[in-house]
Amino acid sequence: MKEILSIRGLSKSYKNIQAIQNLNLNISEGQAYGILGPNGSGKTTTLSIVTGIIRQDEGSFSWFGETPNANQRKSIGSLIETPHFYPYLNLEKNLKIICDIKGISYGDIYRVLETARLEERKKSRFSTLSLGMKQRLGIAAALLGDPRILVLDEPTNGLDPEGIAEVREVVIEQVEKGKTLILASHILSEVEKICTHVAILKKGELLANGPVKELLAEEEIIEISCMNNELLKQKLEASHLVKEVETENGLIVVTLSEKVLPEDINAFAFSNELVIHHMLSRKRSLESQFLELVKEE
Ligand code: ADP
Ligand code: MG
């Protein structure tokens, strides 16, 4: 797969605050890459550096395998933090100004307004839009000139559930069209719904990255008890059925290996002459896994 963005050893601090530290990340064509982390973890700083808004202290990055240059800007549409438009001008005029700056023909305005489901509001003043519409206009502006890459920083921040769903729909459509997406978010479920890949940031450091399916895979956890918990625990630990075995309040709590079902554990215990008299499934939510990942280390 073609390399889109490569980040190597990127660091940035604001006075005494280390915003990002030795960040390394590779994003390939067609991926929808989520940058996931709590507030203050360095997401905006990272996106601001790679879109040329601010400069890094250390490290480097390249787009399409080339050192950053003005020509690349046309291939990258971005919306970092809240969009800035002229409140008293209508949407069409606001987008015309951006077209003038970017050297794009006005014809593209109607395409992006339609994509952002705003064509009916083209004559409305920006100030009359709902928050969700403003955000969608920001995405529309980022889509002017049909860039291959879309960089969005928390595009659903502050929106109500309906607004969130509408923005998400617009973004997913772009991913389905084959655009490469880089999306910063502090909301796990948003990344899960939109992204194919995820990098988890905490206090400016990369905790983990990879395919969403692998990183945020749901784990099946069950609690069990039998006549001899200690013996069953030992047997399970020595088997390939479980990823983890712990004792909690007199119960054995196991995280099952992939494709292993609770009935496999039952059969395994029985074949070892241990009869299970308590078994309860406790699926671990993705939310709790993410929180744990961010909490640890
Ligand atoms: P995120 O987007 O994940 O919320 P940011 O990149 O905005 O994180 O911020 C990372 C850290 O850098 C935070 O501690 C934040 O307070 C700090 N920071 C960000 N921008 C500035 C700035 N302009 N001046 C001083 N500190 C900043
Ligand atoms: Mg931010």
Side-chain angles (χ1 to χ4, degrees), residues 228-289:
N228 189 340
N229 279 352
E230 201 41 49
L231 182 61
L232 179 59
K233 187 168 175 248
Q234 282 169 18
K235 298 261 181 204
L236 283 171
E237 272 167 350
S239 77
H240 297 290
L241 297 171
V242 300
K243 280 192 204 157
E244 229 181 278
V245 192
E246 283 173 281
T247 314
E248 243 181 66
N249 306 325
L251 295 169
I252 308 174
V253 178
V254 301
T255 307
L256 300 182
S257 297
E258 257 163 70
K259 300 201 177 98
V260 173
L261 301 170
E263 43 267 48
D264 298 330
I265 301 293
N266 205 352
F268 174 79
F270 198 73
S271 69
N272 282 287
E273 295 174 350
L274 291 164
V275 177
I276 290 176
H277 53 67
H278 170 89
M279 183 181 269
L280 191 73
S281 175
R282 280 194 197 171
K283 230 180 195 150
R284 198 143 69 115
S285 77
L286 300 181
E287 199 75 39
S288 76
Q289 283 184 71

Side-chain angles (χ1 to χ4, degrees), residues 14 17-19 37-46 81 153-154:
Y14 302 98
I17 299 167
Q18 187 81 42
N39 286 330
S41 56
K43 304 181 296 295
T44 299
T45 300
T46 305
E81 297 205 301
D153 187 12
E154 311 241 21

Side-chain angles (χ1 to χ4, degrees), residues 2-10 23-29 31 33 46 49-50 56 59-68 72 76 149 180 182:
K2 252 199 234 156
E3 176 192 297
I4 293 292
L5 174 64
S6 174
I7 295 176
R8 295 169 297 263
L10 219 55
L23 200 65
N24 292 289
L25 197 63
N26 288 299
I27 297 177
S28 301
E29 177 128 63
Q31 291 180 338
Y33 223 110
T46 305
I49 292 171
V50 300
Q56 70 270 33
S60 63
F61 62 93
S62 56
W63 286 102
F64 320 112
E66 303 165 13
T67 46
Q72 294 167 351
I76 306 160
I149 322 297
T180 305
I182 305 174

